[in-house]
Amino acid sequence: IFGGMENASAIFYFENSVTGKGGIEDLLAHEIAHQWFGDMASEKSFAHLWLSEGFATYFTNIYWHHKFGKEAFQKRLQKERVEVIEFVKKNDRPVVDSLSPYMDLLNANSYQKGGWVLHMLRNEVGDSIFHKIIQTYYGQYKGSNADTRDLQRVAEKVSGKNLKWFFDQWLYRPGIPQLLIDRDIDKDEVKLRITQKGVKFDFPLEIGILRTDGSSLKETILVNSQMIEYKIKVPDVKSVIIDPDTKLLYSEIKK
Ligand SMILES: [Zn+2]
């Protein structure tokens, strides 16, 4: 612990104000995560700062999940999502950013969006593959330096999936999905029209459908074009919840 805090004490105090959460426990968890990511396996250049800060942010959330449960974990993700939404309104730089000076990279792109990218990678490949990716990445780069494409290569090798599109859209392009969602809910049918108002992203969008008898179901919509129309017949629909399990980094635009 002290090694990490010692060699990064300026960062330590700075991050308390960046992350803005005020608590000492999440700051400690963040610094302990840096024992693995940031100190032992660090980024090749500041453009890839999220490999330290996004990892420390997300691993703090995972610690929160273990200690305080799923709801507390999702609350943190929701708060961080709001911080990213606010940040990207005023900033159209990608997370991997070689143009901004170092101090300007201590921002919600490197921290909160970087953390969210790991969360979405985890949802893309599943828990056990995600853990294997992190272990392999750490094993391969501890004591040395990696960049974002190195992490991508590890993730692709371990998962057996092509993830270039994922890394490109979330890390090498600015912004997040800006969704206009028209809801047309009948008693026995749900119709949604999802329009991406900004740059097109590809992502699974989960919806929760609540029924009048108190039961519920979840469906996943693959959004891969600028506009998608989705409908499903379900008896006795009461309401629809978008992204019920906090899996997607997006903002919803109201008409
Ligand atoms: Zn940090």
Side-chain angles (χ1 to χ4, degrees):
I1 297 174
F2 295 110
M5 288 199 265
E6 210 170 65
N7 64 31
S9 57
I11 295 287
F12 183 89
Y13 291 109
F14 181 76
E15 287 189 336
N16 203 11
S17 58
V18 169
T19 57
K21 290 173 195 107
I24 193 70
E25 193 170 8
D26 54 4
L27 189 56
L28 278 174
H30 182 103
E31 290 308 315
I32 290 165
H34 274 312
Q35 297 288 301
W36 288 274
F37 301 103
D39 295 349
M40 286 296 285
S42 60
E43 60 279 352
K44 278 177 184 163
S45 70
F46 287 129
H48 304 272
L49 184 67
W50 82 277
L51 291 173
S52 295
E53 301 309 343
F55 272 66
T57 301
Y58 191 54
F59 283 90
T60 301
N61 293 346
I62 289 176
Y63 166 79
W64 231 247
H65 193 175
H66 284 296
K67 183 143 186 206
F68 302 111
K70 188 174 163 190
E71 210 174 301
F73 170 67
Q74 291 180 344
K75 276 218 172 95
R76 282 181 77 93
L77 284 165
Q78 286 158 15
K79 181 173 179 290
E80 288 164 3
R81 180 165 61 191
V82 169
E83 287 160 352
V84 175
I85 291 169
E86 288 307 311
F87 180 78
V88 299
K89 279 181 190 165
K90 292 164 277 172
N91 185 311
D92 68 346
R93 311 283 323 155
V95 170
V96 177
D97 186 351
S98 53
L99 294 183
S100 295
Y102 168 65
M103 283 305 284
D104 288 357
L105 291 174
L106 297 169
N107 61 33
N109 253 359
S110 301
Y111 286 74
Q112 289 89 336
K113 188 177 173 187
W116 254 98
V117 169
L118 289 177
H119 183 56
M120 291 187 289
L121 179 63
R122 181 181 176 183
N123 291 326
E124 181 66 32
V125 299
D127 277 359
S128 66
I129 301 275
F130 178 73
H131 288 140
K132 205 169 164 221
I133 288 169
I134 299 302
Q135 278 175 355
T136 307
Y137 170 71
Y138 179 72
Q140 204 160 323
Y141 292 102
K142 68 168 183 269
S144 72
N145 303 303
D147 68 16
T148 302
R149 294 297 184 200
D150 293 325
L151 175 64
Q152 181 191 324
R153 272 187 286 277
V154 170
E156 287 182 331
K157 196 168 177 208
V158 172
S159 68
K161 284 183 161 186
N162 178 351
L163 294 167
K164 185 176 186 296
W165 64 273
F166 179 95
F167 280 76
D168 283 354
Q169 75 175 11
W170 293 113
L171 296 163
Y172 287 88
R173 292 208 299 265
I176 60 174
Q178 313 273 338
L179 306 183
L180 182 68
I181 303 172
D182 291 308
R183 299 159 167 83
D184 182 359
I185 299 162
D186 284 340
K187 191 171 164 291
D188 296 314
E189 189 174 47
V190 172
K191 281 192 255 177
L192 299 175
R193 182 195 288 146
I194 300 151
T195 310
Q196 301 201 51
K197 298 306 272 186
V199 178
K200 179 185 84 75
F201 282 74
D202 291 351
F203 52 88
L205 177 68
E206 201 170 74
I207 60 168
I209 301 170
L210 302 181
R211 300 179 56 212
T212 49
D213 66 1
S215 66
S216 66
L217 62 145
K218 283 177 196 162
E219 292 289 327
T220 300
I221 306 168
L222 283 174
V223 178
N224 55 11
S225 62
Q226 211 77 35
M227 202 267 283
I228 287 268
E229 281 182 343
Y230 171 85
K231 60 181 169 183
I232 183 171
K233 290 231 179 269
V234 177
D236 305 317
V237 176
K238 191 177 166 208
S239 62
V240 171
I241 300 168
I242 304 295
D243 190 32
D245 289 331
T246 318
K247 289 182 170 175
L248 180 70
L249 179 58
Y250 75 105
S251 70
E252 185 168 352
I253 297 176
K254 303 289 175 190
K255 261 199 247 185

